[in-house]
Amino acid sequence: MELTPLNTKLLKASKFKDYHKYDTIHLAKHLLGKVLVSHIGEHTTAGIIIETEAYLHNDPSCHAYCNKKTKRNEAMFMKAGTSYVYFIYGMYYCFNVVSGAEDIGEAVLIRALLPIQGIEVMQERRNTQDLHNLCSGPGKLCQAMGINKVHNGISLLSDTLYIMDFKQVNEHEIVSTPRIGISKGKDLPYRFYTELSL
DNA sequence: GTGATGATTTAA
DNA sequence: TAAATCATCACT
């Protein structure tokens, strides 16, 4: 790997493990500024998390609304720090970080990343050169990082897919808005993003 | 078994 | 603004 200042910082960073220490809303904010890393298909890709959404168990737009377990959402009931990947619209995957207590059914949707590693691989997987079009959406970032249904239910403490501490984002740098693309729970301000660039 | 639908993306 | 595209879920 080329030893740029960014890569040096990445090499020194440690794996985030404290998923169980935050409630879902807090985790959704706390994950901003951290780095999602994938080692998939002989490739490494990574990006800084810049947009998330929280899905709570008592929230009508949550796949596990009222703690109802189904074949699709069963990973949401595993322990915090598990990956929940689901297939949507017949063609895309979305990646979530399971949060909250076990058997409750809550998660944080990762909506956008700032690509920092494996950009050429991402460009190939996404079939575009445009850096701003690689990870700027939940379906896009899964495609760019090679995330699919085989990664549903795996631990984010694994070496395949995990999150690293990287940048501390302060509360005043976080914007909250209603969530995108849902038909229920439209008014809840559970989408979080931060203006970050390299 | 059937039918509706979706935490999206793309192209027009 | 609409098409692409199919696994899942709630019903019958």
Side-chain angles (χ1 to χ4, degrees):
Chain A
M1 190 203 301
E2 194 186 351
L3 224 53
T4 61
L6 180 75
N7 287 336
T8 306
K9 183 169 179 182
L10 275 176
L11 285 172
K12 280 191 284 191
S14 52
K15 197 178 282 191
F16 178 70
K17 296 176 178 166
D18 297 335
Y19 297 100
H20 58 286
K21 292 190 181 171
Y22 300 85
D23 63 53
T24 298
I25 295 208
H26 220 110
L27 185 66
K29 296 182 180 184
H30 195 71
L31 290 179
L32 296 172
K34 299 197 184 307
V35 171
L36 177 64
V37 183
S38 80
H39 296 294
I40 292 172
E42 312 270 299
H43 296 292
T44 300
T45 60
I48 305 173
I49 298 171
I50 55 172
E51 183 179 346
T52 61
E53 281 178 0
Y55 286 86
L56 308 196
H57 71 281
N58 59 353
D59 161 2
S61 67
C62 178
H63 288 169
Y65 183 41
C66 295
N67 316 102
K68 195 182 296 179
K69 197 187 286 192
T70 65
K71 184 179 173 187
R72 174 176 69 166
N73 70 18
E74 61 185 352
M76 291 184 82
F77 293 84
M78 298 170 76
K79 62 178 158 210
T82 300
S83 160
Y84 168 45
V85 180
Y86 64 89
F87 189 54
I88 189 73
Y89 294 110
M91 45 178 102
Y92 298 106
Y93 292 99
C94 290
F95 167 71
N96 298 249
V97 176
V98 175
S99 59
E102 212 168 329
D103 285 324
I104 297 297
E106 304 199 339
V108 175
L109 171 69
I110 306 300
R111 286 196 61 87
L113 307 174
L114 211 54
I116 56 174
Q117 210 179 101
I119 290 183
E120 289 184 8
V121 180
M122 292 185 177
Q123 288 170 325
E124 199 162 313
R125 285 172 173 157
R126 290 273 305 129
N127 194 30
T128 175
Q129 297 296 112
D130 183 1
L131 296 182
H132 297 294
N133 199 19
L134 294 180
C135 297
S136 54
K140 297 180 190 181
L141 72 89
C142 282
Q143 190 177 28
M145 300 196 87
I147 298 171
N148 61 64
K149 64 180 170 195
V150 313
H151 306 107
N152 184 39
I154 68 173
S155 168
L156 297 177
L157 304 181
S158 73
D159 291 324
T160 304
L161 193 57
Y162 55 91
I163 291 173
M164 314 241 310
D165 284 311
F166 190 70
K167 184 183 188 309
Q168 176 78 33
V169 175
N170 298 318
E171 183 74 27
H172 70 269
E173 299 174 291
I174 300 176
V175 183
S176 307
T177 77
R179 293 167 294 183
I180 307 260
I182 53 175
S183 52
K184 300 166 194 163
K186 280 182 172 157
D187 298 329
L188 299 167
Y190 292 167
R191 170 174 174 252
F192 308 102
Y193 68 90
T194 184
E195 308 283 347
L196 264 187
S197 57
L198 297 176

